Amino acid sequence: DITGRYVYAIHGLPLIDAFSNKQPWPCEPQLRLRWEIIHAGECTQTSMGEKTSTTLTNLLMHGEETDTNTLLRDIIFPTTETCDESDVDTLVEVEIVIGSQCFRRVHPDHMSVFDFTYWTLDNTHPGNAVSASTGSSHPIKKWLDVDESVFLIYPAFDMHHHGNHPINSWDTHNKMFPKLGRYGDAVKFVDLPNELRLYEVAEYYGNSIGVSGGNIMVCGSPDESANDPTLGNVFEVTTEQDTMDDLWRQAEYSWTQIALTAPDQLRQRVAWALAQLLAIARPSIEVSDTHSEVFLTYYDIFCRNAFGNYRDVLREIAYSPLMGENLSYLQSKSASYLWEKHKKHSFADENFAREIMQLFSTGLIKLNLDGTPKLDDEGKTILAYTNDEIMSFARIWTGFDYQQGRGNVEETSSSGNRHDPMKIQASWRDKFPKTDMTGGYIGDGYPLCVDLPDQMFLRSGASYRLIGASHMPELMEDNSAFKDDPTLKKFVLDSDSALKSKLCNANANGICQYESLVTVDKNLECSAKECDADTLRVVQVADGIYYEYVRPPCVEQVFFTNAKK
C-alpha cells in the first residue's frame, strides 16, 4: 500500500522438484546452505553418518554467533570440513535436532524477500495473459491483493493449474527481482532497492530520509535556474506528465538551437567533440522519452569544461548518474560487503573500470610522447593495462549511488536522482588497497592519517561544509540510531571559540553569514574542549546549524600489527 509494489517472501522452493532436479548434498565445499528454525517436536532427526551429523551440528551451533535471524540460519560449508562419503548420494533433505530446536534444510532462497513487481507487468510472466483471458486471479498479484499475504508460493507442485514448475525456472528468472534480504532480517534503509527507498517508506517506519528543521540547504546542478520564492514558487516544481506530442525530440531541438546560434561557437564545437568520445546510450538510461533535462545536464559537463582540463571532464562524467547507469557501476558493491551481507561470492562491476582506460584515456597500448607505440626489448607493443588493473580499478568504482531526490527538476522517477553527481555509500565501498597502473598504489604520495598534525581541524587548510539542521555527518558513516538518540552528546563550540567565529562569519551587525564551504586560512587557538579533542566530525555552531569537518586526504592502514578482534 505504501509503494504500490509487490514485495514477497518466497515459499515453496523445493530441494527436490517434480522432475527430480535436486540441490547438492549439504557437504559441498563453499555451498551456501539455508536452514529453517522450528521447534524440535515438529521434525525428526535425519539418519546420517556420525561425521556428517557432527560437522553440520557444529556449523549450525557456531552460526548462532553471527546470524541474528531467529527464523533462518545460513551457513557456508567450509573447505576445511568433511562428511561421510556414504551420504553423498542420499542426503539432500535434512532435519537436525539440537536441544529444543530443529534445523530443517530448505532451498537457499526459501523465505528470501524479493520485489516481484516486474512479473506483474504485461508480457513478463506467461500466467498474466492466461489469467486475463480466463478471468482467474493474477498469478503474482493475487497473494497480496486477494489473500493479503506477504508470501508468494512457488508452484513447484501445481497439478491443478499450470503444471509443475521446475526449480531451474526460478534459477533463471530470479535475477530480475531486486532482493531485500531474508524474512526476519533487519535491513538498512540504504540497502533497499531504489524503488522502495522512498519518503513514504521512511516515514512509515518513523524516520525520514532527509533533514528537517529551518536550516536546510539544497544545491542544484551547476548553472541550474533556482526558484524565486518571492514569486510564490515555494513548492517542488515537477512536470509529472507531459501533455504535448513530440517532446521526445526537445533535447535535439535545444541542442540544435544553441549549436547554430550561440556566440561561443568554438566552445560548442569542442563540447560536441567531447560528447562523441564520452558518450552514453540513451536506451540504457531509465528516463521518460519525453524528458530531456538529465541529458542536457550531462552535455553541460562538456560545455563547462571545453577549455579546461580533461581530468576535470573525467571526474565529472565519472560522478554522473547517467554514466553510472550506462556503464553499470551504479550501486556496484564490494566483494566483502556482498559476502558479509548476503554470503555471495561476487566481484565488483568491471565495465567502467575497463572503459575509462580503453575508451576514455590511455587506450590499449602505451605511447611515447610523440604518439608512437612503446615497444619492449622484443619489439612488441606494451599493453597500457592488464586484467589485473581492471579488477583493481573496479574496486575503486564501488559504493556510488543516486543522490536523494529533490524538486525543481523535470525527471522525478522514484528509481533515482539523475541530475546531481552521485554520492558514495560508505558501507558498499571496497576498503582494501588498490594498485595503480605503474606498480604502486592509489594512495602513494598521500600521508598516513596517523601522521597528520595534532588538531588538524584547527590548522590552516582545514575545511568545513555546512550540513544544516542535521547533526549526522554526510561524508562519514554513523549508526542510523544516532539520529534520534536524545542521549547523544553533540560537539557544541564554545562562545569564545576562534573556530566558531570563523564558521559564523559575522557581518558588521554581528549576524552570522554561514557559507556552504569554509576553509581555515591560518592556525587557530583551541578553546575549551577543542583542546582535548584529537579530531572532529560534526560541530554545532548555533541552534540548528551544524558543520562537518572534512579531513585532508590521507591513507588508513588496512592491516594492523597484533590486531585484536
Side-chain angles (χ1 to χ4, degrees), residues 308-325:
N309 188 302
Y310 188 64
R311 182 175 181 176
D312 294 336
V313 178
L314 287 181
R315 181 185 294 110
E316 286 207 47
I317 64 107
Y319 274 83
S320 167
L322 269 64
M323 182 59 75
E325 197 167 339

Side-chain angles (χ1 to χ4, degrees), residues 58-241:
N58 288 338
L59 290 173
L60 287 168
M61 292 177 65
H62 292 156
E64 186 176 9
E65 300 173 3
T66 56
D67 197 337
T68 58
N69 193 308
T70 59
L71 305 175
L72 301 166
R73 182 157 302 163
D74 285 5
I75 61 175
I76 306 294
F77 195 89
T79 56
T80 55
E81 298 289 346
T82 57
C83 296
D84 295 285
E85 292 295 328
S86 58
D87 292 325
V88 172
D89 297 322
T90 60
L91 199 64
V92 177
E93 296 175 328
V94 187
E95 292 181 341
I96 298 177
V97 177
I98 304 176
S100 62
Q101 293 180 317
C102 173
F103 292 84
R104 175 183 292 159
R105 187 190 177 191
V106 291
H107 187 277
D109 285 330
H110 174 72
M111 293 205 22
S112 286
V113 180
F114 294 89
D115 181 353
F116 284 92
T117 306
Y118 172 79
W119 251 357
T120 68
L121 306 177
D122 294 339
N123 303 318
T124 57
H125 187 284
N128 297 352
V130 174
S131 65
S133 61
T134 61
S136 57
S137 298
H138 192 285
I140 307 301
K141 295 181 178 180
K142 67 177 181 180
W143 306 103
L144 181 61
D145 294 349
V146 179
D147 298 344
E148 297 184 345
S149 172
V150 296
F151 300 106
L152 181 150
I153 311 299
Y154 184 79
F157 306 99
D158 185 10
M159 300 300 296
H160 303 293
H161 294 89
H162 306 297
N164 301 330
H165 284 47
I167 195 60
N168 56 18
S169 177
W170 168 253
D171 296 335
T172 300
H173 293 99
N174 66 33
K175 301 174 182 61
M176 305 176 197
F177 316 127
K179 184 177 180 180
L180 282 70
R182 301 172 303 175
Y183 191 80
D185 279 345
V187 180
K188 287 186 177 181
F189 184 81
V190 69
D191 291 329
L192 292 176
N194 289 324
E195 293 79 5
L196 299 172
R197 210 188 310 169
L198 305 177
Y199 289 98
E200 293 82 1
V201 174
E203 290 172 355
Y204 179 82
Y205 288 100
N207 213 318
S208 168
I209 62 176
V211 295
S212 59
N215 303 293
I216 301 171
M217 181 177 66
V218 178
C219 300
S221 53
D223 302 319
E224 180 180 325
S225 297
N227 289 333
D228 185 349
T230 64
L231 301 177
N233 298 329
V234 294
F235 298 102
E236 289 189 347
V237 179
T238 61
T239 58
E240 296 299 335
Q241 289 191 28

